Amino acid sequence: MLSYFRLIRLPNLLIIAFSQLLIRYCLILPAFKAEYFITGVFPQHLSDINFFLLVFSSLLLAAGGYIINDYFDIQIDEINRPNSNIIGKRISKANAKTTFFIVSIIGICIGFYLSTIIERPSFGLIHLFTAVSLWMYSSFYKKRLLSGNIIVAILCALSLFVVGLYEPEFYRNIHYLIWYAVLAFLTTIIREIIKDTEDINGDKMLQCKTLPIFLGIPKTKIIIQILILLTITYVAFVLRNNFYGNRILNFWYLLSFFVIPFAALSFLVFTANEKKDFYYAGLYSKILMVAGVLTILPFWYYFIR
């Protein structure tokens, strides 16, 4: 059982679940509560049990993604991360593949069930798209130029955005959630390229065509710096349009709150030369991703509660 927990990256799944909980209880439901105070009518929304099923579906699909990724990465992991992959050692390849199909099918079925609850049956295709994309990413696109990075970034953003999609009454405020989804997309693609740079040796031996292999590490570092600058520009644009002149939170303090951590990431990438340097840069970028979602808490505290 411990081997399966390790295989499905339990800490990462908990981060996904916590992020979706924050979106529901610190963004969507408080917005509905504010509408209730004005109109006297609380908007229709998913029940707690159906929201739990939505989260459970997301976790099943993510777990399946981790399993099938390790399934196809056995050779690469022997080079990049020796002894880290437990498929073929503690868990057989057949059992891993079967587990992927089981958890993915359950996740897809839950998605179609919930889509009928909100009378948007086509939304069930989102869960099917996720499962198929994770298979295609692991088996093919992960080894191709940028396509695998973009797929992972889209799915990461979708894991946040899907919570709002299943709340039709929230659509009039969906732009708040779009802010976070776009930020998740940008930070994820940065992290994925950093990880590819860390894993360049194993990827090169197995003839992958990732960005660091195609352009080389120096040029890839420039691309990462451009993406970091793009992310900072995006954050500044959002803050300028929505919080400039705000009397509760100073715009410049808010901007520095985001710029300084990304500037630190830029420095880590700029000074990275060895595998361990890119590992720490990737780890730090993951912390930034989590911190980005956690900004929902002060947003809720100062503006929605």
Side-chain angles (χ1 to χ4, degrees), residues 10 23 32 44 49 51 54 86 108 110 158-159 162 209 218 222 239 246 248 254 262 300-301:
L10 184 60
I23 291 170
F32 287 168
Q44 289 187 341
I49 185 63
F51 171 70
L54 178 62
I86 60 177
I108 292 168
I110 293 174
L158 189 58
S159 70
V162 72
K209 297 178 181 178
I222 293 175
L239 295 178
N246 188 280
I248 300 176
L254 279 176
F262 278 104
W300 162 79
Y301 183 82

Side-chain angles (χ1 to χ4, degrees), residues 114-163:
L114 293 175
S115 68
T116 61
I117 294 295
I118 64 170
E119 299 180 353
R120 300 285 200 286
S122 61
F123 281 12
L125 295 174
I126 296 173
H127 303 259
L128 178 61
F129 166 78
T130 299
V132 172
S133 296
L134 288 168
W135 175 282
M136 293 300 296
Y137 163 78
S138 300
S139 62
F140 180 77
Y141 288 109
K142 183 178 183 178
K143 301 175 183 179
R144 296 297 179 266
L145 182 65
L146 278 180
S147 55
N149 305 133
I150 293 172
I151 288 174
V152 172
I154 290 173
L155 294 178
C156 183
L158 189 58
S159 70
L160 302 180
F161 197 61
V162 72
V163 182

Side-chain angles (χ1 to χ4, degrees), residues 54-84:
L54 178 62
V55 174
F56 186 52
S57 173
S58 299
L59 299 186
L60 287 174
L61 293 173
Y66 289 127
I67 292 170
I68 204 62
N69 184 66
D70 282 1
Y71 176 86
F72 284 109
D73 270 7
I74 293 177
Q75 288 182 291
I76 291 179
D77 285 342
E78 284 301 317
I79 302 171
N80 290 331
R81 298 174 181 83
N83 302 317
S84 66

Side-chain angles (χ1 to χ4, degrees), residues 197 200 212 215-225 269 272 278:
T197 310
I200 188 172
L215 292 179
I217 291 180
K219 291 182 179 179
T220 299
K221 289 168 68 172
I222 293 175
I223 298 296
I224 295 172
Q225 299 288 12
V269 172
F278 289 105

Side-chain angles (χ1 to χ4, degrees), residues 43-54:
Q44 289 187 341
H45 58 282
L46 287 179
S47 65
D48 287 340
I49 185 63
N50 284 332
F51 171 70
F52 168 79
L53 288 174
L54 178 62

